Amino acid sequence: QMQLVESGGGLVQAGGSLRLSCAASGRIGSIGAMGWYRQTPGKQRELVATITSGGSTNYADSVKGRFTISRDNAKNTVYLQMNSLKPEDTAVYFCKAEEEHIGSTWDYWGQGTQVTVSS
């Protein structure tokens, strides 16, 4: 079974930057899309950005122009470069990977990493 481990979260002032990483380990099959989601207390988890195995990306409107998602397929790792951070970006950020199987995909999630942006 695949495991995902995130790193890179922390406390930063508004306008600052952070880079999140998420590495897959364990029994890794064929990984399709990978992505980052975030969640704040009392709210549903929301999409931040996704990237396909071919490199096509998709972003939430709230982060377009500030965040960049990328991946290293050889390292089974996905990154999220976050610039011009705002207090409203404060959340627990989760990594997700889709493992492709015949006729289905299996979703794996990381444990989450806290990002706190102070004003």
Side-chain angles (χ1 to χ4, degrees):
Q1 189 170 350
M2 178 166 60
Q3 293 86 42
L4 299 174
V5 178
E6 299 108 334
S7 61
L11 173 64
V12 65
Q13 287 188 331
S17 298
L18 283 174
R19 188 190 193 213
L20 305 183
S21 299
C22 172
S25 63
R27 184 184 298 177
I28 300 171
S30 176
I31 300 177
M34 302 183 79
W36 290 94
Y37 295 73
R38 65 188 182 187
Q39 189 170 22
T40 54
K43 292 188 177 181
Q44 286 191 326
R45 193 170 295 185
E46 64 175 9
L47 178 148
V48 176
T50 61
I51 184 168
T52 67
S53 57
S56 295
T57 59
N58 179 53
Y59 295 92
D61 288 342
S62 59
V63 306
K64 283 181 181 176
R66 301 188 297 120
F67 291 10
T68 302
I69 189 170
S70 62
R71 65 190 284 173
D72 185 331
N73 290 333
K75 295 181 178 180
N76 295 310
T77 300
V78 63
Y79 306 95
L80 185 68
Q81 178 65 44
M82 304 186 294
N83 298 328
S84 302
L85 282 160
K86 303 175 181 180
E88 51 263 43
D89 294 318
T90 295
V92 178
Y93 283 70
F94 296 89
C95 167
K96 175 187 168 184
E98 295 179 357
E99 188 176 68
E100 296 175 334
H101 297 266
I102 297 174
S104 66
T105 58
W106 297 0
D107 291 344
Y108 292 88
W109 291 89
Q111 82 287 353
T113 185
Q114 176 71 46
V115 171
T116 302
V117 184
S118 63
S119 57

